[in-house]
């Protein structure tokens, strides 16, 4: 049963309400508000019925103290001195409802029933929020020094409203970092709005961000609420900020400076209470030099930078990631694959992953789909990818074998190898090398 505390300076009212409700709720009473506030914590109270006049003490002051100390407690005000002004003041101070004495028990029971429903909804939201936070944090896999630094940065910025810029190659998990910051921070109970600045046509992006009024432009038939307004109290994530048009960058800068937006076609501005996180896979320093990104906007966004390393730069995390995605796709695909064979695992650990974690995820999903056994063999992996990686590795090995040689020695090696590949056919060799037969003859004589 939910716990209700009655704080009223009339003992008779406390006793009668307790008697009327004790079959449905755990009831507690106090005529002294100081003792009542202390009891709120001691008994883990859910709902407080609070009198507006407690002798010489103003019930609104008690209400303010309760909401400051225990914001989750639902407070229902009671008074024999009803007025519109006091009702509004109580509701603005955080009261859930306002009842006039003498209380009607059917009305009180109805309000208490609604209060209990609200408490249960809040508990469910809190539980789901915690589940979501745990789910996201469980995906934050890594023990490498670079990733430990990323986790430390997330912990430092999660509860502050400073702008954050997340950088990293495509597929490194930038959006996961943003989710971790939002859902583990003090804005987690409000919305996280995501805008992909490269996926929305330029002429629609401003409306997507700031909203518009009906008639603001051709085709604007209805009012539209922008992402900035939807993110009120929460976070807006501007993904691929490096692709935002310069004209819109100037407008975004003004929004960040003034902390307000004006929807297209609107006369009045809207104050903002949000945190802004941006992400990009572009080199913004280079974009600034090329005149593609505003330097002043860059400094506004880049108060705190979190740089995600590519997967090839944190290979010590690969075993953890491989194990995680093996278990993940076993569950998703209803499989029971136990492990990768030594050869398959060796290839996975040595591949460079130009597509980063996104590519690793795809490779492992493909392998589980193709495998019919408990152990994934090398043949179950994407063979085109394996052949491509072998070719790249061979080319890299060939280049490494030339390090330390003079240009004359390198040229001689290339000539001999190309001749051998063409069975000493000089015309084909010259064509492959992109020189004339006469030029080839001269080089061969020169190297004899």
């Amino acid at each position: 049963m939910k716990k209700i505390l009655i704080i009223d300076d009339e003992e008779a009212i406390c006793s009668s309400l307790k008697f009327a409700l004790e079959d449905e709720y755990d009831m507690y009473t106090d005529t002294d508000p100081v003792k009542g506030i202390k009891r709120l914590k001691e008994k883990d109270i859910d709902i407080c019925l609070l009198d507006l006049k407690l002798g010489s003490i103003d019930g609104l002051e008690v209400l303010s103290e309760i909401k400051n100390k225990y914001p989750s407690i639902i407070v229902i005000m009671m008074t024999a001195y009803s007025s519109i002004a006091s009702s509004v003041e109580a509701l603005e101070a955080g009261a859930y409802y306002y009842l006039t004495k003498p209380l009607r028990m059917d009305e009180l029971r109805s309000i208490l029933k609604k209060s209990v429903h609200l408490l249960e909804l809040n508990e469910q939201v809190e539980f789901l929020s915690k589940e979501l936070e745990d789910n996201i944090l469980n995906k934050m896999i890594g023990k490498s020094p670079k990733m430990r630094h990323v986790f430390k940065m997330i912990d430092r910025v999660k509860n502050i409203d400073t702008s954050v810029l997340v950088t990293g190659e495509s597929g490194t998990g930038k959006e996961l970092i943003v989710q971790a910051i939002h859902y583990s921070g003090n804005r987690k109970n409000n919305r996280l709005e995501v805008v992909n600045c490269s996926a929305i046509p330029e002429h629609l992006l401003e409306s997507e961000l700031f909203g518009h009024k009906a008639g603001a432009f051709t085709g604007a038939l209805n009012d539209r609420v922008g992402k900035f307004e939807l993110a009120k109290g929460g976070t807006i994530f501007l993904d691929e900020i490096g692709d935002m048009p310069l004209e819109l960058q100037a407008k975004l800068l003004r929004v960040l400076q003034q902390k307000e937006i004006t929807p297209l076609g609107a006369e009045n501005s809207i104050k903002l209470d949000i945190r802004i996180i941006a992400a990009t896979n572009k080199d913004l320093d280079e974009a600034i030099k090329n005149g593609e990104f505003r330097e002043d906007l860059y400094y506004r966004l880049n108060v705190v930078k979190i740089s995600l390393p590519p997967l090839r730069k944190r290979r010590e995390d690969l075993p953890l990631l491989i194990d995680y995605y093996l278990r993940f796709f076993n569950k998703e695909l209803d499989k029971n694959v136990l492990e990768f064979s030594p050869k398959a695992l060796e290839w996975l650990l040595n591949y460079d992953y130009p597509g980063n974690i996104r590519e690793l995820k795809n490779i492992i999903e493909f392998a589980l789909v193709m495998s019919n056994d408990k152990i994934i063999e090398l043949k179950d992996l994407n063979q085109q990818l394996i052949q491509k990686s072998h070719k790249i590795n061979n080319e890299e090995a060939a280049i490494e074998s030339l390090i330390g040689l003079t240009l004359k020695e390198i040229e001689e090696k290339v000539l001999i190898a190309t001749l051998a590949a063409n069975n000493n056919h000089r015309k084909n060799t010259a064509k492959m090398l992109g020189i004339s037969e006469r030029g080839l003859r001269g080089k061969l004589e020169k190297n004899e």
Side-chain angles (χ1 to χ4, degrees):
M1 289 193 292
K2 294 297 181 185
K3 298 176 183 178
I4 297 178
L5 171 66
I6 302 165
I7 303 178
D8 195 304
D9 60 345
E10 296 185 45
E11 184 68 48
I13 290 178
C14 289
S15 299
S16 61
L17 287 176
K18 181 178 180 181
F19 178 77
L21 297 171
E22 61 186 359
D23 289 339
E24 303 162 69
Y25 304 96
D26 286 337
M27 299 299 299
Y28 303 88
T29 65
D30 271 301
T31 55
D32 181 351
V34 175
K35 291 181 179 178
I37 290 173
K38 186 178 179 182
R39 193 188 294 267
L40 289 171
K41 185 177 182 181
E42 289 175 350
K43 299 298 183 181
D44 195 20
I45 298 298
D46 298 300
I47 301 169
C48 178
L49 294 172
L50 175 64
D51 193 17
L52 185 63
K53 296 292 183 182
L54 297 159
S56 61
I57 299 174
D58 186 350
L60 289 176
E61 293 180 5
V62 179
L63 168 64
S64 179
E65 187 173 352
I66 291 173
K67 296 308 290 184
N68 283 333
K69 287 184 176 179
Y70 313 107
S72 63
I73 293 177
I74 290 179
V75 181
I76 299 169
M77 300 300 294
M78 307 179 295
T79 183
Y81 310 97
S82 176
S83 73
I84 294 175
S86 60
S87 301
V88 171
E89 197 173 351
L91 294 173
E92 287 181 344
Y96 175 65
Y97 206 80
Y98 192 99
L99 295 172
T100 304
K101 294 179 179 178
L103 301 179
R104 298 198 334 263
M105 289 309 298
D106 57 340
E107 182 184 17
L108 175 58
R109 282 193 166 90
S110 175
I111 295 303
L112 289 175
K113 188 175 180 180
K114 290 178 182 178
S115 299
V116 170
H117 182 60
L118 178 60
L119 285 169
E120 290 171 347
L121 286 176
N122 289 340
E123 288 167 2
Q124 186 177 13
V125 167
E126 187 175 346
F127 171 76
L128 292 174
S129 179
K130 185 69 170 64
E131 285 279 294
L132 182 58
E133 178 185 344
D134 291 344
N135 185 41
I136 290 167
L137 293 178
N138 285 338
K139 293 179 182 177
M140 304 285 290
I141 298 166
K143 63 179 182 180
S144 62
K146 291 180 189 295
M147 288 308 294
R148 284 203 300 268
H149 176 71
V150 169
F151 300 151
K152 189 182 294 184
M153 292 297 292
I154 291 171
D155 191 57
R156 285 180 179 175
V157 303
K158 65 183 182 182
N159 289 322
I160 59 175
D161 292 335
T162 300
S163 296
V164 177
L165 180 64
V166 183
T167 63
E169 294 178 6
S170 180
T172 49
K174 296 186 288 296
E175 186 165 354
L176 186 62
I177 298 299
V178 176
Q179 291 173 350
I181 293 172
H182 176 77
Y183 289 110
S184 64
N186 54 14
R187 290 182 176 268
K188 65 183 177 182
N189 291 327
N190 295 305
R191 294 172 70 154
L192 168 63
E193 290 294 329
V194 179
V195 181
N196 189 320
C197 299
S198 66
I200 301 171
E202 183 176 337
H203 65 285
L204 296 177
L205 185 54
E206 183 175 359
S207 173
E208 182 78 8
L209 290 171
F210 309 133
H212 65 251
K213 292 293 182 181
F217 52 85
T218 303
L221 302 178
N222 301 297
D223 290 357
R224 179 189 178 94
V225 178
K227 293 288 190 178
F228 271 90
E229 190 176 351
L230 287 172
K232 181 181 178 182
T235 303
I236 187 165
F237 171 37
L238 304 175
D239 197 10
E240 303 302 346
I241 189 72
D243 293 324
M244 179 177 282
L246 277 169
E247 184 181 347
L248 196 52
Q249 288 179 32
K251 294 180 180 180
L252 176 60
L253 178 64
R254 285 196 296 274
V255 167
L256 297 180
Q257 290 170 334
Q258 298 167 6
K259 298 189 184 303
E260 62 182 28
I261 58 166
T262 304
L264 295 171
E267 295 180 0
N268 299 320
S269 59
I270 300 168
K271 288 290 182 184
L272 293 177
D273 173 26
I274 59 174
R275 97 170 298 167
I276 296 172
I277 306 178
T280 183
N281 59 13
K282 286 190 172 181
D283 183 341
L284 292 187
D285 289 318
E286 192 65 28
I288 290 169
K289 290 178 186 176
N290 296 334
E292 298 168 354
F293 201 83
R294 293 181 64 104
E295 187 173 17
D296 44 8
L297 176 59
Y298 174 72
Y299 289 123
R300 277 279 176 180
L301 295 171
N302 187 30
V303 178
V304 175
K305 180 187 279 189
I306 299 178
S307 298
L308 276 176
L311 197 48
R312 63 185 175 277
K313 295 279 183 71
R314 56 179 185 112
R315 290 190 177 277
E316 55 265 66
D317 293 333
L318 274 170
L320 296 174
L321 288 162
I322 291 168
D323 179 65
Y324 172 81
Y325 285 116
L326 177 62
R327 288 184 284 108
F328 176 83
F329 285 115
N330 264 326
K331 186 175 180 181
E332 285 284 303
L333 302 172
D334 194 25
K335 291 263 197 170
N336 188 29
V337 176
L338 299 178
E339 60 184 351
F340 290 89
S341 71
K343 285 188 177 180
L345 184 60
E346 181 184 10
W347 185 86
L348 288 170
L349 293 174
N350 287 290
Y351 181 57
D352 266 353
Y353 300 99
N356 293 296
I357 292 175
R358 187 181 295 134
E359 185 178 15
L360 171 65
K361 185 178 176 181
N362 289 344
I363 289 171
I364 294 177
E365 182 178 10
F366 177 89
L368 264 75
V369 169
M370 299 305 294
S371 176
N372 291 318
D373 299 318
K374 298 290 185 183
I375 297 175
I376 293 177
E377 302 290 346
L378 189 62
K379 64 179 176 59
D380 299 317
L381 300 177
N382 189 318
Q383 295 303 301
Q384 288 183 328
L385 204 57
I386 290 175
Q387 290 169 11
K388 183 180 176 182
S389 68
H390 284 333
K391 182 179 178 182
I392 291 170
N393 290 338
N394 290 338
E395 288 173 353
E396 289 175 350
I399 291 170
E400 286 180 7
S401 71
L402 300 176
I403 295 173
L405 300 179
T406 65
L407 287 175
K408 185 177 183 300
E409 290 170 332
I410 291 172
E411 183 179 82
E412 185 178 352
K413 273 183 169 287
V414 171
L415 285 171
I416 292 170
T418 309
L419 269 170
N422 287 284
N423 295 316
N424 288 322
H425 193 292
R426 294 197 174 195
K427 185 176 181 179
N428 291 344
T429 300
K431 186 177 180 180
M432 185 176 285
L433 292 171
I435 59 176
S436 66
E437 286 188 66
R438 183 178 178 182
L440 175 62
R441 187 167 57 251
K443 289 183 180 294
L444 290 172
E445 293 172 353
K446 187 177 176 182
N447 286 303
E448 284 178 354

